[in-house]
Amino acid sequence: MLFIVLLLVAIGDVVSISSPITPFTSYRYSTELEKGVAHLWWTIDNGAKDITFELHMKTTGWIALGISP
């Protein structure tokens, strides 16, 4: 959760990104991690203690995303 909180503080005012693929659903927050390469969307549900996220990356191989408490 600490990772997400820090991310919100750093990029909470991002308005749009340039992903050519439309996200699967609507998310409250988004950021372009690397222009034209990596895009992240997420929504936090504090009541259910859930974070729903979607990551789009341009790659020729595997990607990994790590989240810690």
Side-chain angles (χ1 to χ4, degrees), residues 2-68:
L2 180 59
F3 169 75
I4 297 299
V5 171
L6 293 175
L7 194 58
L8 288 174
V9 170
I11 55 171
D13 60 346
V14 173
V15 183
S16 66
I17 61 176
S18 63
S19 177
I21 302 170
T22 304
F24 178 72
T25 188
S26 296
Y27 295 95
R28 184 166 182 184
Y29 305 101
S30 65
T31 188
E32 188 168 24
L33 300 172
E34 186 174 337
K35 187 165 179 64
V37 176
H39 311 274
L40 178 66
W41 295 265
W42 70 98
T43 298
I44 300 170
D45 182 343
N46 289 320
K49 295 187 178 181
D50 284 340
I51 301 173
T52 303
F53 63 91
E54 186 169 338
L55 176 64
H56 293 190
M57 280 195 115
K58 182 185 290 186
T59 180
T60 59
W62 291 87
I63 63 167
L65 177 65
I67 299 176
S68 64

